[in-house]
Each structure stands twice: as structure tokens, then as C-alpha cells.
Amino acid sequence: MENFDMETATRYLIPAICFIVVAYCVKHLLQSKAPKVTPACLIDELTGEEYLITNWETSIGRSNACDIVLTYSTVSRFHAVISKHKKGWVITDTNSSSGTAVGKTRVKNTAVIKDGDAISFGGIVLRFRIK
């Protein structure tokens, strides 16, 4: 009889503990908020158009699947990605055919970008600004 009681207790205790752990995890997942990104933007100084960057990674290109769509024939479909890292904002050229440059320096893989940098996407120059 004593084994039956311990067996019964174990049968109910383990699922109860699992339920409590799952409920605790779900509660904290629902309450937690993703860290916010310091907003930045790209500004086309010729047209005045501003492209807001609020994600940790923002894709730039001619394709409608990109976060920022630049409808110029010299811009590749998936041209570059701007992302926020510990060291600041970084731009990555995604093997675009016409290249990406920060100032006069062509981006080979990645480059750190700072507030006020001129970034060229296939000859289209946009100014990077941190808000």
C-alpha cells in the first residue's frame, strides 16, 4: 500500500511540476520585450526621401522582398544589409554586381558605418543618420 501511495504521488507530482515550469516560461516570454534598436535612417539628399531603419537587420535592394526598396537599375535585387551590432552599425554587401561603398571606400564584406556617412548602392548615394 505504501508503494502505491508513492507511485500515485509521483504520477501526479511530475506533471504538476512540468506544468508549473511551462507556465512560468510562458509568463516570462509574454512579459519580455525585445530590446529596442536605436532608430536610424538613410536619406536621399537629392529627393529628400527618408528610409527609416528600426530593425536589427534591414535589407536593401531592388526586390520588393527587401525592407528598403531602391528602384534603380544599378541596384541589385538584394544589394546590402545594414545591421546593429555591439560595435555600432554595420553594412554588409551581399555580393551585389555594382558594389556598395562607404564614402569613397568600397565595402568588400562588411564595414562599420557612422552617423553622417555617405553610402553608395550602385551609384545611388544615401546619407546614414542615427536618430
Side-chain angles (χ1 to χ4, degrees), residues 60-62 70 72-76 79-80 91 93 96-102 106 119-126:
I60 300 161
R62 203 175 64 240
L70 301 175
Y72 299 96
S73 61
T74 57
V75 175
S76 296
H79 200 99
I91 188 158
D93 183 75
S96 61
S97 57
S98 54
T100 302
V102 176
R106 186 168 175 144
I119 304 172
S120 173
F121 302 96
I124 308 308
V125 180
L126 301 177

Side-chain angles (χ1 to χ4, degrees), residues 21-36:
V21 169
V22 168
Y24 178 81
C25 292
V26 167
K27 175 187 169 202
H28 283 281
L29 280 172
L30 293 174
Q31 288 178 342
S32 67
K33 296 177 183 173
K36 292 187 178 183

Side-chain angles (χ1 to χ4, degrees), residues 25-58:
C25 292
V26 167
K27 175 187 169 202
H28 283 281
L29 280 172
L30 293 174
Q31 288 178 342
S32 67
K33 296 177 183 173
K36 292 187 178 183
V37 175
T38 304
C41 65
L42 292 170
I43 301 169
D44 186 336
E45 293 179 338
L46 293 175
T47 65
E49 191 164 2
E50 185 175 300
Y51 303 97
L52 196 58
I53 300 169
T54 57
N55 299 325
W56 288 96
E57 287 190 345
T58 301

Side-chain angles (χ1 to χ4, degrees), residues 105-127:
T105 307
R106 186 168 175 144
V107 176
K108 298 205 184 208
N109 291 321
T110 62
V112 176
I113 52 176
K114 296 182 177 87
D115 187 38
D117 281 347
I119 304 172
S120 173
F121 302 96
I124 308 308
V125 180
L126 301 177
R127 181 84 46 196

